[in-house]
């Protein structure tokens, strides 16, 4: 527990320190998100907050490395080859998002990049090979493992990206998902690597919320939403490999219910209305709450509460499965 807390606090304080530096860099080079008819903010806001989250996450791992001789969990973390494999995809997806934040990329390029990252993750062993559901036997995917893994990564990455429409919404939802998975993975002795990674990511998200919650002084941008989405997708798979929750991918699906359902519903809604399935609009759940009269803060807090309830449901499902 001490190591988990150390990981969380290290990432938290690093993000508190690094984010103001990133804000100044964005303002210096004009890397800001200007108001448009599709956006709610009324003044230019720095849009490369993903740089703060990404750098804080890996710097926190680097600081933990210095204590590896004094902590068995940290030593296990850096002896686990999955950390290096996770890092490969993380760097690729972050770079893709950062290029999009700075120069802009077409949807086809971004989609192709996300698929590529899914393939890289599968090749590195972060794959969905089996799916189990509550109270029934597991289902082996066989040859469908690769497309299932690709779909999972693309879905979660885009889910976090699409829900990033109000100040603090994506970061807050991702934070509660991390805490849910942290609570589920922590008791499993074989999941210490995943537990510490979730703790670091949760600390980064909480620190970033200090500047991203309404009124936001920085946005995470695609670099942030892509990295967070990739991390949640990869760590959820890693957290479902061993222990009592073996390959129960239903658990992270429930925890991420709000962004995942929105990501699946949006293209279907556009298709039914005869619009381009992947054309951005302002009809996501959070936009509709604002149109109903909710303030940004109330809408965000409402969706936080839904995520918390879903997270508690996922935790209860794990205990029911164990029993």
């Amino acid at each position: 527990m001490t190591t988990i807390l150390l990981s969380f606090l290290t990432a938290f304080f690093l993000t508190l320190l690094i984010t103001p530096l990133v804000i100044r860099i964005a303002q210096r080079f004009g890397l800001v998100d200007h108001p448009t008819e599709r956006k709610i903010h009324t003044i230019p806001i720095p849009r490369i907050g993903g740089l703060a989250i990404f750098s804080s996450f890996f710097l926190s791992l680097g600081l933990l490395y210095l204590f590896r001789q004094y902590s068995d969990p940290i030593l296990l973390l850096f002896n686990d080859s999955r950390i290096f494999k996770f890092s490969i995809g993380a760097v690729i997806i972050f770079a893709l998002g950062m290029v999009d934040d700075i120069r802009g990329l077409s949807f086809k390029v971004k989609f192709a990049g996300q698929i590529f990252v899914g393939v890289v993750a599968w090749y590195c062993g972060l794959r969905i090979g089996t799916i189990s559901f509550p109270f029934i036997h597991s289902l082996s995917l066989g040859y469908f493992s690769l497309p299932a893994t690709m779909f999972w990564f693309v879905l979660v990455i885009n889910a976090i990206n699409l829900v990033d429409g109000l100040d603090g919404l994506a970061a807050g939802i991702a934070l509660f998902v991390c805490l849910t998975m942290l609570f589920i993975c922590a008791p499993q002795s074989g999941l210490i690597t995943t537990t510490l990674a979730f703790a670091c990511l949760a600390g980064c998200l909480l620190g970033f919320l200090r500047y991203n919650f309404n009124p936001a002084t920085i946005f995470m941008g695609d670099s942030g939403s892509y990295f967070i989405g990739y991390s949640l997708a990869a760590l959820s798979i890693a957290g479902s490999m061993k222990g009592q929750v073996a390959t129960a991918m239903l658990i992270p699906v429930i925890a991420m219910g709000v962004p995942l359902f929105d990501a699946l519903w949006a293209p279907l809604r556009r298709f039914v209305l005869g619009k381009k399935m992947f054309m951005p609009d302002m009809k996501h759940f959070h936009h509709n709450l604002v149109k109903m009269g909710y303030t940004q803060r109330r809408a965000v807090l409402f969706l936080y509460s839904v995520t918390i309830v879903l997270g508690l449901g996922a935790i209860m499902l794990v205990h029911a499965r164990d029993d």
Side-chain angles (χ1 to χ4, degrees), residues 14-224:
L14 276 173
T15 310
L16 286 180
L17 294 173
I18 292 175
T19 304
L21 299 177
V22 174
I23 291 175
R24 288 196 285 271
I25 291 173
Q27 292 172 338
R28 171 67 177 82
F29 292 98
L31 301 175
V32 297
D33 194 22
H34 295 280
T36 66
E37 60 181 11
R38 285 190 52 251
K39 298 175 181 178
I40 295 178
H41 62 281
T42 57
I43 60 173
I45 303 291
R47 64 169 183 262
I48 56 170
L51 178 60
I53 299 172
F54 177 84
S55 58
S56 298
F57 179 83
F58 282 101
L59 279 175
S60 64
L61 290 180
L63 289 177
L64 288 178
Y65 182 76
L66 300 177
F67 295 92
R68 66 191 184 283
Q69 295 180 341
Y70 308 101
S71 171
D72 289 338
I74 295 178
L75 186 60
L76 288 173
L77 172 68
F78 290 101
N79 285 337
D80 192 334
S81 63
R82 288 180 299 172
I83 284 295
F84 175 73
K85 295 174 181 178
F86 164 86
S87 302
I88 295 174
V91 171
I92 296 173
I93 199 66
F94 170 74
L96 178 70
M98 182 60 73
V99 173
D100 188 41
D101 287 337
I102 296 174
R103 301 185 58 181
L105 295 172
S106 68
F107 170 78
K108 293 181 180 179
V109 173
K110 292 187 286 187
F111 190 66
Q114 294 166 11
I115 293 176
F116 176 71
V117 166
V119 174
V120 170
W122 181 88
Y123 182 78
C124 289
L126 293 169
R127 62 183 66 171
I128 303 175
T130 306
I131 298 179
S132 63
F133 298 94
F135 318 117
I136 64 175
H137 293 293
S138 300
L139 173 66
S140 177
L141 295 179
Y143 292 110
F144 293 99
S145 173
L146 176 58
T149 302
M150 289 166 49
F151 175 76
W152 174 246
F153 275 90
V154 172
L155 175 62
V156 178
I157 289 170
N158 281 286
I160 300 300
N161 181 252
L162 290 177
V163 83
D164 186 29
L166 298 179
D167 294 352
L169 181 57
I173 286 179
L175 170 63
F176 291 121
V177 172
C178 282
L179 294 177
T180 298
M181 296 302 297
L182 180 63
F183 189 87
I184 291 172
C185 294
Q188 310 298 326
S189 59
L191 296 177
I192 186 61
T193 297
T194 309
T195 302
L196 294 179
F198 270 123
C200 287
L201 184 58
C204 292
L205 291 168
L206 183 61
F208 185 70
L209 273 173
R210 161 65 179 80
Y211 306 95
N212 184 237
F213 195 72
N214 184 264
T217 55
I218 187 171
F219 295 151
M220 66 172 61
D222 283 354
S223 58

Side-chain angles (χ1 to χ4, degrees), residues 241-322:
M241 285 183 174
K242 302 175 182 178
Q244 297 295 327
V245 292
T247 60
M249 290 304 299
L250 187 60
I251 303 304
V253 168
I254 294 174
M256 289 185 277
V258 172
L260 290 184
F261 188 80
D262 194 22
L264 291 170
W265 172 247
L268 179 61
R269 165 174 50 79
R270 294 165 188 153
F271 175 77
V272 171
L273 296 176
K275 299 180 179 180
K276 293 182 179 181
M277 293 180 63
F278 301 105
M279 179 65 68
D281 58 30
M282 293 189 66
K283 295 184 179 180
H284 296 286
F285 295 156
H286 49 279
H287 292 138
N288 290 331
L289 287 174
V290 173
K291 291 176 182 177
M292 291 168 58
Y294 282 68
T295 62
Q296 278 204 56
R297 285 196 174 196
R298 284 188 60 198
V300 168
L301 291 174
F302 173 76
L303 292 174
Y304 281 0
S305 65
V306 174
T307 303
I308 292 172
V309 171
L310 291 173
L312 292 174
I315 293 172
M316 292 174 62
L317 186 60
V318 170
H319 288 292
R321 177 190 171 91
D322 290 350

